[in-house]
Amino acid sequence: MTSPAGARFFVDSWDPAYGASFEAAGGAGPAAPSSAQVEADVELPVTDWRAIDVRPGVRAPDVVLLVDGVRRIDASVWTAEDGGSFPGIAASYAAGVVRCDLDRGAAELAGSRVGRGLFTASPSAQDVVAGAIRYPVHRVGGTGELSKLPAAVQGPLTALEVAVSDAVRADGDLLVVDGPLRSRRNLPRTLGYIKTQHSQYLDARLTSVVTGLAPGQRCPVFRLGTAWGGWSWYLRLPVAAGAPWAGIVRMECSAELTVPEAIALADLSLVTLPRFASTPYKDPRAPQNLVPIAGLERRLRGMLGDARLLHRVLTSAARGIRR
């Protein structure tokens, strides 16, 4: 599309209420150049980098498990004690896994769990209990600034995701985690699925290979030397022509795998994930927000309970404690 002044521009397919599919600087792509050491000549020499198509003979697994989690802050709280006051948040979170049987063309919720917690640096805070509702204390380190407390929920949520995944795994399945693998890198046959691109890992020439991918193609596997580093690659999901980064996701797998094992998982991702891509008329984050994940998110949010009711429960519990 061309503007009246002649400048090319694109419209991101995502609903702006969800941010953007990439964080751009001047519209060029992911905004922040990463300081991570990148080993790009893993699958192909950097001089031979090119788009890779589905390889002959690669078949999708019979069963794909997709796991995700959601979280919500139910209330902000404060404690008053001899040493001063400490902020806190009462949060609810849930994790679930969808089992997709590709032979039968069926998907079902295979497992889910809900957790709650009171996250604070307060040394004297106690569990909040109101009837059947319980917010156990999760004590955080440091000064516990209110703005940093939401990030503390990620650890218990990740642990919940691992627990629900472990409970339903079977030999030969493929587990896809919505988001970076982080502490889940030890899980077998597991992929991290990053649908929003924040950092620029590759130089300009290699990035041009990524943005030149056609739907159903991937770039060569490369290695990231970050604290949570591992094997990584980009692939483009089915998408109409648009911005250079439209429909592109980044995949991860464990650094403990050999190069051939990582390449095999990259090939497997290319024949598996495009079939789950969403469409714009159904999902505001299409195509990156995979159809089973979108359904799982809706289910999990419903499991968190009524936010207004929980806020009243917490308010009543606080009044009872002060008496």
Side-chain angles (χ1 to χ4, degrees):
M1 183 178 291
T2 305
S3 71
R8 299 177 71 218
F9 74 100
F10 302 91
V11 176
D12 192 358
S13 61
W14 281 27
D15 184 327
Y18 291 92
S21 56
F22 57 86
E23 289 192 352
S34 173
S35 61
Q37 294 295 316
V38 176
E39 184 182 343
D41 57 350
V42 172
E43 183 174 2
L44 290 175
V46 292
T47 53
D48 296 333
W49 255 53
R50 56 175 173 78
I52 297 175
D53 294 294
V54 172
R55 299 187 197 276
V58 178
R59 178 179 175 273
D62 294 334
V63 174
V64 180
L65 303 174
L66 295 106
V67 64
D68 194 14
V70 299
R71 56 187 178 180
R72 185 187 67 205
I73 297 175
D74 296 330
S76 296
V77 302
W78 292 84
T79 63
E81 43 203 294
D82 293 340
S85 62
F86 291 87
I89 57 171
S92 295
Y93 48 95
V97 57
V98 177
R99 185 181 189 275
C100 299
D101 188 322
L102 301 188
D103 281 343
R104 295 191 297 116
E108 60 182 359
L109 181 65
S112 60
R113 297 187 189 179
V114 176
R116 306 188 198 277
L118 175 62
F119 296 83
T120 180
S122 167
S124 61
Q126 299 179 351
D127 297 356
V128 176
V129 181
I133 304 298
R134 185 183 189 92
Y135 288 82
V137 171
H138 291 260
R139 227 168 297 279
V140 302
T143 57
E145 300 100 312
L146 186 60
S147 62
K148 296 181 179 180
L149 291 177
V153 184
Q154 186 60 51
L157 176 55
T158 297
L160 209 59
E161 292 177 358
V162 171
V164 297
S165 302
D166 285 347
V168 300
R169 298 212 68 176
D171 291 340
D173 63 13
L174 177 69
L175 178 66
V176 180
V177 174
D178 191 49
L181 287 178
R182 295 191 179 96
S183 59
R184 296 166 287 200
R185 294 184 179 277
N186 62 326
L187 301 178
R189 304 180 311 283
T190 300
L191 297 175
Y193 177 86
I194 297 92
K195 55 178 176 276
T196 304
Q197 309 310 317
H198 298 282
S199 299
Q200 182 79 48
Y201 293 110
L202 304 174
D203 64 30
R205 191 175 66 81
L206 300 186
T207 295
S208 70
V209 174
V210 175
T211 57
L213 295 173
Q217 292 182 327
R218 68 172 178 87
C219 77
V221 172
F222 57 95
R223 182 165 184 157
L224 290 177
T226 61
W228 295 111
W231 307 115
S232 191
W233 60 96
Y234 293 96
L235 64 84
R236 193 188 294 271
L237 299 170
V239 66
W245 286 85
I248 288 179
V249 297
R250 186 172 67 83
M251 307 299 301
E252 293 183 342
C253 66
S254 173
E256 300 301 315
L257 299 176
T258 64
V259 171
E261 289 171 335
I263 293 173
L265 278 177
D267 287 338
L268 199 60
S269 71
L270 199 55
V271 298
T272 303
L273 294 177
R275 69 182 62 203
F276 297 125
S278 52
T279 53
Y281 75 92
K282 288 185 177 180
D283 194 305
R285 290 177 287 172
Q288 289 97 320
N289 201 38
L290 303 180
V291 172
I293 291 292
L296 177 59
E297 287 177 341
R298 289 192 294 270
R299 185 76 171 267
L300 294 176
R301 288 193 184 98
M303 294 173 60
L304 295 181
D306 186 286
R308 292 171 297 180
L309 177 59
L310 289 169
H311 193 277
R312 288 198 296 269
V313 166
L314 288 162
T315 301
S316 296
R319 288 170 178 163
I321 292 172
R322 290 198 299 266
R323 289 188 186 123

